[in-house]
């Protein structure tokens, strides 16, 4: 039976793949990389991560500053901070399923930030 973290990743991946022109590619080490027209907009996983944990990385140009005090947000390197890439980490005791709507919103924001403008506009105009 999949862990809640694996269930969340499956649901978030399905949501992301429903966005126009996205695909899932292997990342580095143990990560999975979501792309729009070959530009990464989210990363799932981290090196050596346990099955009952999940790390997610998103580009959040709008809400980056607002989310820094959330208990599951980790401080990234100066590069991550400069370019507003946020890292969310959920350990074994964290209820990741309770945060699915938030994480879907972050996927959407990251997609719009990284997608070609015409694709990003499709999403923002449709409200999907």
């Amino acid at each position: 039976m999949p862990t809640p973290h694996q269930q969340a990743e499956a649901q978030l991946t399905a949501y992301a793949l429903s966005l126009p022109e996205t695909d899932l590619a292997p990342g580095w080490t143990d990560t999975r990389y979501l792309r729009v027209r070959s530009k990464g907009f989210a990363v799932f996983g981290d090196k050596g991560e346990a099955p009952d944990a999940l790390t997610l990385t998103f580009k959040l140009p709008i809400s980056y500053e607002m989310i820094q005090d959330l208990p599951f947000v980790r401080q990234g390197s100066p590069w991550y901070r400069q370019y507003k890439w946020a890292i969310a980490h959920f350990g074994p005791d964290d209820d990741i399923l309770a945060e699915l709507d938030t994480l879907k919103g972050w996927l959407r924001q990251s997609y719009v930030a990284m997608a070609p403008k015409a694709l990003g506009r499709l999403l923002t105009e449709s409200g999907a």
Side-chain angles (χ1 to χ4, degrees):
M1 182 168 176
T3 69
H5 296 73
Q6 292 166 333
Q7 292 172 31
E9 182 176 354
Q11 289 181 42
L12 292 168
T13 299
Y15 173 75
L17 292 174
S18 75
L19 302 173
E21 299 188 41
T22 60
D23 68 348
L24 182 65
W28 52 96
T29 62
D30 300 323
T31 62
R32 282 86 47 216
Y33 194 56
L34 285 163
R35 305 179 302 181
V36 53
R37 287 198 187 165
S38 299
K39 285 184 76 175
F41 69 95
V43 180
F44 291 160
D46 200 3
K47 184 178 179 181
E49 191 163 73
D52 60 350
L54 183 60
T55 301
L56 307 109
T57 307
F58 310 94
K59 181 164 181 70
L60 301 177
I62 297 168
S63 57
Y64 180 81
E65 284 83 14
M66 294 181 279
I67 67 163
Q68 295 306 305
D69 292 332
L70 293 173
F72 52 85
V73 172
R74 286 186 174 172
Q75 191 69 257
S77 71
W79 184 92
Y80 281 86
R81 292 191 302 272
Q82 178 181 355
Y83 294 102
K84 298 186 177 180
W85 283 87
I87 301 167
H89 176 77
F90 295 88
D93 297 328
D94 296 324
D95 186 4
I96 189 172
L97 296 175
E99 299 298 338
L100 278 180
D101 288 340
T102 298
L103 297 173
K104 284 180 182 178
W106 291 2
L107 273 173
R108 180 187 172 91
Q109 184 181 151
S110 192
Y111 172 91
V112 170
M114 297 305 292
K117 291 196 186 313
L119 286 178
R121 271 194 306 273
L122 284 176
L123 211 60
T124 56
E125 289 171 359
S126 73

